Amino acid sequence: MTIDALLQMPLDALLAAFFNTAEDSNGNFEIVSDYRTSKFLELPSDSHAKTAKGLSEKYGLSFELKSTSVISAQIENDKNWTLDQFLDAVYKSILPKLNKLSADYPLDTEIALALFIFRGSVDFNRNLYAVDWKNPTQQYLDNFFKLLLSSDDLLNRLNLNFRELQPQFVAGERQRNTQIRINLKWFYDNVISRYGNINEYKSDILQTQIVNLGEVRNFTSFEDRLVFYKQSILGRGLTESEINILRQDLEFSKQIIAQDPENKFAIRNQKIVSFARETFDDICVGCNDIYKIDDRSFKMPRNDRYYFEINHVIAYANDSDSVDVLDNLVKLCPACHRALTPNRAYPEYQKAIIEKMLASRPEVANFVESMMTGKYPSPVEYVYQSLK
């Protein structure tokens, strides 16, 4: 299959490619499933052949046995791309499909299935299912986070295991990638119970140990750990003393957000806005090239940082579900944020701010264009008409 053919595939196939693609020895790409015998259940001789068939039927891709324990679907690198370029293109193909999902589409289940069914292992002691985080580059990390932040209940079932902070890692022993982990009972109830036929071996392991699955539970600090990994761990060669300090810093807030089904969008909005506030640069994209920030905002005593508003480029009230994504957010100073209230400032001034918001990051402009209909003459006019 060519890259262009893959990028036209349905959402579930693109999710599988985004979470599980590696580069092969010939410079092509392959979507890989790799699992071995578990101590909890003997591996049937035909297990991998059955899984290859199940993955092919589910995702519409040609999965075949590559070795005794590896299954893969081949993607021809006919564009001579790097793996990062390929995964970024897959993400950009996913984004417009997310924006157009029906209300009953099981997005949490499909993301969890694509992320965990191909690889990973069970930890019954901690009631978790874990998978190594592949391709830990800055660009992939950002897109990975944004995909997860588009989910609803799934986000509360995940946590991260920072293997880079383990003593063995800094000593040069067992240098393994950070793991992303999911509550085992939630994974069984929402994913394996629905799609257990794709990998019958993993399904059987959970079914034979069902009394050990524990309870469905939340991990309330997941988005904090995302920020922590991005800012403090990714790409750094940590010393033992730095690791000890970071381990002490891993005491995040334990506040639990009420899981009111009627308020799920507000819950997700809070998480996404929090992530944006911590990771976006502390500049106002609307006026940083015109005014000094001292004249537009103030410093907060708790952290000595300037105060900024997190603004939805396409207003949140228009379609809370579709527009509540990281690619639709920017930082504005309080003055620019207030100026975007309908009829508060002259239209020319509001449109100038909008134009700068669209130019602030390529993914912002791409998101707005993906949401536009044909009746608007430009992205600026579309956003201007959406102001609430």
Side-chain angles (χ1 to χ4, degrees):
M1 175 177 287
T2 65
I3 290 175
D4 283 339
L6 175 74
L7 297 181
Q8 299 303 314
M9 295 289 288
L11 176 60
D12 58 352
L14 292 171
L15 291 171
F18 183 79
F19 292 128
N20 302 287
T21 296
E23 194 172 19
D24 70 13
S25 58
N26 297 318
N28 292 312
F29 303 119
E30 54 182 359
I31 306 170
V32 179
S33 173
D34 185 358
Y35 65 96
R36 295 172 176 81
T37 302
S38 167
K39 66 180 180 180
F40 299 104
L41 188 67
E42 183 178 353
L43 180 67
S45 59
D46 61 348
S47 176
H48 287 85
K50 284 185 175 180
T51 299
K53 184 175 184 292
L55 291 173
S56 298
E57 291 175 349
K58 164 60 179 169
Y59 292 110
L61 299 164
S62 297
F63 284 93
E64 298 178 352
L65 288 176
K66 183 178 180 180
S67 67
T68 55
S69 64
V70 177
I71 303 162
S72 69
Q74 299 297 309
I75 309 298
E76 180 187 355
N77 187 6
D78 52 334
K79 298 180 182 293
N80 198 29
W81 280 353
T82 65
L83 180 58
D84 235 22
Q85 288 175 314
F86 171 77
L87 293 171
D88 189 53
V90 172
Y91 170 76
K92 289 175 179 175
S93 295
I94 289 173
L95 187 59
K97 297 180 185 298
L98 290 178
N99 300 337
K100 298 176 174 63
L101 291 178
S102 63
D104 59 350
Y105 184 84
L107 181 59
D108 286 12
T109 297
E110 292 294 344
I111 292 178
L113 178 70
L115 180 54
F116 292 101
I117 200 66
F118 286 76
R119 302 176 284 117
S121 58
V122 175
D123 184 342
F124 288 112
N125 292 325
R126 296 180 176 86
N127 299 318
L128 296 167
Y129 189 98
V131 64
D132 282 4
W133 197 345
K134 302 293 187 183
N135 312 310
T137 66
Q138 186 67 59
Q139 183 179 43
Y140 183 70
L141 173 84
D142 288 343
N143 290 342
F144 191 103
F145 283 176
K146 286 184 284 190
L147 268 184
L148 294 182
L149 288 166
S150 296
S151 66
D152 296 319
D153 188 42
L154 173 63
L155 192 65
N156 300 312
R157 312 303 177 182
L158 301 172
N159 91 341
L160 294 175
N161 176 25
F162 302 124
R163 284 168 160 173
E164 292 96 327
L165 301 187
Q166 296 173 355
Q168 300 96 326
F169 190 96
V170 72
E173 305 168 2
R174 305 184 71 188
Q175 292 189 323
R176 300 176 295 175
N177 292 339
T178 282
Q179 284 183 322
I180 185 166
R181 307 188 293 191
I182 190 168
N183 173 253
L184 194 55
K185 184 64 162 59
W186 188 95
F187 183 63
Y188 179 82
D189 290 347
N190 293 273
V191 180
I192 292 298
S193 295
R194 182 168 184 167
Y195 288 122
N197 62 310
I198 293 178
N199 190 323
E200 293 182 1
Y201 180 60
K202 290 189 175 185
S203 176
D204 289 345
I205 290 172
L206 296 186
Q207 288 175 359
T208 59
Q209 299 289 320
I210 197 165
V211 296
N212 298 318
L213 296 187
E215 300 177 352
V216 173
R217 55 173 296 213
N218 292 346
F219 301 102
T220 57
S221 62
F222 182 69
E223 63 276 14
D224 293 323
R225 296 175 79 89
L226 296 183
V227 174
F228 182 85
Y229 183 76
K230 178 182 174 70
Q231 296 181 340
S232 303
I233 299 178
L234 180 67
R236 295 182 59 191
L238 299 171
T239 66
E240 186 173 0
S241 61
E242 288 173 329
I243 285 177
N244 289 334
I245 292 172
L246 290 175
R247 287 172 68 90
Q248 294 174 12
D249 289 343
L250 279 172
E251 292 297 324
F252 296 117
S253 170
K254 304 300 182 185
Q255 181 180 3
I256 297 177
I257 301 172
Q259 299 299 304
D260 179 1
E262 298 300 321
N263 199 34
K264 66 176 183 177
F265 298 140
I267 293 169
R268 190 176 73 185
N269 174 259
Q270 179 179 342
K271 294 177 181 293
I272 296 174
V273 168
S274 174
F275 184 78
R277 192 178 304 282
E278 293 300 321
T279 59
F280 287 0
D281 292 339
D282 280 341
I283 62 171
C284 172
V285 303
C287 70
N288 71 89
D289 60 338
I290 303 174
Y291 301 105
K292 292 182 179 180
I293 189 60
D294 289 334
D295 299 329
R296 309 283 280 183
S297 186
F298 57 90
K299 281 193 173 182
M300 297 178 287
R302 66 180 177 85
N303 58 12
D304 203 37
R305 291 172 61 181
Y306 284 101
Y307 175 75
F308 291 91
E309 300 280 1
I310 301 299
N311 182 67
H312 287 76
V313 180
I314 301 174
Y316 181 66
N318 284 278
D319 188 341
S320 299
D321 191 16
S322 296
V323 304
D324 197 23
V325 298
L326 208 63
D327 289 348
N328 190 43
L329 300 183
V330 296
K331 270 186 178 177
L332 294 177
C333 68
C336 284
H337 192 250
R338 287 196 302 271
L340 290 179
T341 303
N343 302 316
R344 175 165 284 178
Y346 287 111
E348 293 77 12
Y349 184 64
Q350 292 181 323
K351 291 180 182 181
I353 296 174
I354 292 170
E355 188 169 4
K356 290 181 178 180
M357 291 194 299
L358 293 172
S360 63
R361 304 194 316 276
E363 54 266 38
V364 175
N366 291 337
F367 176 81
V368 170
E369 289 176 6
S370 75
M371 294 290 290
M372 283 180 60
T373 60
K375 64 180 180 179
Y376 296 99
S378 70
V380 170
E381 190 65 30
Y382 171 61
V383 174
Y384 174 74
Q385 294 296 332
S386 79
L387 293 178
K388 297 290 185 181

